[in-house]
Amino acid sequence: MNSKSLVSIDDISRDEILQLLESARHFEENPNRRLLEGKVVATLFFEPSTRTRLSFETAVNRLGGRVIGFSDASTSSSAKGETLKDTIKMVSNYVDLIVMRHYLEGAARYATEVTDVPVINAGDGANQHPSQTMLDLYSIYKTQGKLENLTITMVGDLKYGRTVHSLIQAMRYFNPTFNFVACEELRMPDEYKELCDRNGIKYTEHTDFSAEVINSSDILYMTRVQRERFTDIMEYEKVKNLYTLRNAMLADAKENLRVLHPLPRITEIDQDVDDNPKAYYFDQARNGLYARQAIICRALGIENA
Ligand code: CP
């Protein structure tokens, strides 16, 4: 595996996370630089995406590089039965970096085993979404002025939500307190609760999205119930609308509270929240550009200072 690949947030240390945040801050000051002149980046998206693909591609474009790839695998030779291994080996002949989203957990790790070109995991099934985590950390840092000692409430699909899984792993360095709000069917998997236990991280599980939980939070991290992860559509129908944040529910929230969501949202944040100054999800998505510029430069060994 190329040591500059980013497959899991676990691949990078606390210091590297802080370096990436500092790099993102530099890119926010000036996102248009010719740092990737002569470089070609592939974006291979086997699953739908709006923000992740477009922000990665914008990141490359603003840094003077070029992008090839596909946003719909049905237009690639994988539709003819080409294996992921062969696809990755072929694309590696053409590019300096591969950004890949795939519906199978472990697909990005597998890709790193068949190529020497660095690979950035843009989401693999319900497993990991490390670039989302970097933009989430950047958003938390920007809005709270720190990463340490925050109360973070995660709401919705905690079972299949790769963004919450990656975020827990990254936050283990910063002494968080977590509230996990989910129905029985979508509870946080044991492996992430065990990770909290091993790292001395306090967490509480709730089925009620109560005022008490909201008002104790610094960050409210809402998530979508992901229809695409359910094999039984009736199970999805049962749980899809259980938690909706409405503006009135923020009336007694802490001054510093910010509402984050990796997006897309369906019903879990009412549109009446959008004009509340605590709503930060669209700014969060913009931060993705700077965080991904930092990640791309790390993967290619390019200094941005
Ligand atoms: N947050 C996120 O991954 O969004 P997209 O699915 O639109 O890329």
Side-chain angles (χ1 to χ4, degrees):
M1 169 170 151
N2 186 302
S3 66
K4 295 299 184 188
S5 288
L6 180 58
V7 171
S8 161
I9 202 71
D10 261 352
D11 292 344
I12 52 177
S13 65
R14 182 182 192 276
D15 282 351
E16 281 180 298
I17 287 175
L18 296 177
Q19 281 163 17
L20 280 170
L21 295 180
E22 180 61 10
S23 175
R25 192 180 65 76
H26 283 293
F27 280 120
E28 181 164 8
E29 285 168 2
N30 180 8
N32 301 305
R33 301 190 224 167
R34 311 298 296 173
L35 295 174
L36 297 188
E37 200 104 67
K39 301 289 186 194
V40 181
V41 176
T43 54
L44 310 183
F45 277 67
F46 293 85
E47 260 196 345
S49 167
T50 296
R51 278 146 292 274
T52 308
R53 185 175 66 81
L54 294 181
S55 62
F56 265 116
E57 294 187 356
T58 305
V60 176
N61 287 329
R62 287 193 180 278
L63 296 176
R66 290 171 186 261
V67 178
I68 64 164
F70 52 79
S71 57
D72 177 356
S74 70
T75 65
S76 80
S77 283
S78 67
K80 302 176 197 163
E82 186 163 56
T83 62
L84 179 61
K85 176 182 177 183
D86 287 3
T87 302
I88 295 297
K89 289 187 96 61
M90 283 304 98
V91 173
S92 299
N93 289 327
Y94 311 137
V95 302
D96 302 288
L97 171 66
I98 294 173
V99 177
M100 184 176 86
R101 171 171 288 186
H102 202 282
Y103 48 86
L104 287 179
E105 293 183 25
R109 182 73 66 195
Y110 177 70
T112 65
E113 287 166 8
V114 299
T115 181
D116 291 330
V117 170
V119 175
I120 296 173
N121 180 7
D124 60 327
N127 188 33
Q128 284 276 320
H129 195 350
S131 68
Q132 176 72 43
T133 304
M134 287 312 307
L135 76 91
D136 291 343
L137 292 175
Y138 188 53
S139 300
I140 292 169
Y141 186 77
K142 274 177 69 177
T143 60
Q144 307 297 317
K146 62 176 187 174
L147 292 173
E148 293 79 9
N149 306 321
L150 296 169
T151 297
I152 300 179
T153 295
M154 297 175 162
V155 184
D157 181 355
L158 307 188
K159 179 177 179 184
Y160 299 114
R162 58 194 175 198
T163 63
V164 292
H165 299 163
S166 289
L167 187 56
I168 289 172
Q169 286 179 319
M171 285 304 299
R172 75 186 188 279
Y173 297 123
F174 305 108
N175 191 38
T177 299
F178 287 120
N179 291 307
F180 298 142
V181 180
C183 60
E184 278 300 316
E185 293 86 343
L186 296 177
R187 281 175 67 172
M188 185 61 75
D190 286 345
E191 68 177 285
Y192 297 102
K193 291 186 279 186
E194 285 161 14
L195 183 147
C196 289
D197 291 337
R198 280 198 306 279
N199 288 278
I201 295 169
K202 297 180 284 301
Y203 67 87
T204 317
E205 294 187 277
H206 310 261
T207 50
D208 276 350
F209 188 23
S210 66
E212 190 187 347
V213 166
I214 293 172
N215 296 343
S216 70
S217 304
D218 300 302
I219 293 290
L220 200 47
Y221 195 97
M222 303 297 297
T223 66
R224 174 176 67 97
V225 176
Q226 303 169 88
R227 187 175 54 187
E228 63 272 30
R229 307 280 176 237
F230 286 76
T231 46
D232 180 348
I233 198 68
M234 294 309 290
E235 285 297 311
Y236 167 73
E237 290 294 330
K238 240 173 39 191
V239 299
K240 68 177 186 184
N241 289 328
L242 286 182
Y243 301 107
T244 301
L245 178 67
R246 300 182 200 286
N247 195 39
M249 295 161 72
L250 297 173
D252 297 320
K254 288 164 77 167
E255 196 56 43
N256 62 303
L257 173 102
R258 290 296 177 273
V259 180
L260 271 57
H261 190 312
L263 303 177
R265 68 160 157 195
I266 310 299
T267 57
E268 56 281 1
I269 301 180
D270 194 283
Q271 295 204 13
D272 74 357
V273 179
D274 293 358
D275 293 330
N276 189 314
K278 297 184 191 317
Y280 193 74
Y281 27 94
F282 296 122
D283 304 275
Q284 179 188 358
R286 190 178 58 240
N287 290 335
L289 170 60
Y290 317 126
R292 288 177 173 127
Q293 287 183 312
I295 291 167
I296 289 167
C297 285
R298 173 189 176 273
L300 292 171
I302 293 170
E303 293 280 332
N304 87 327

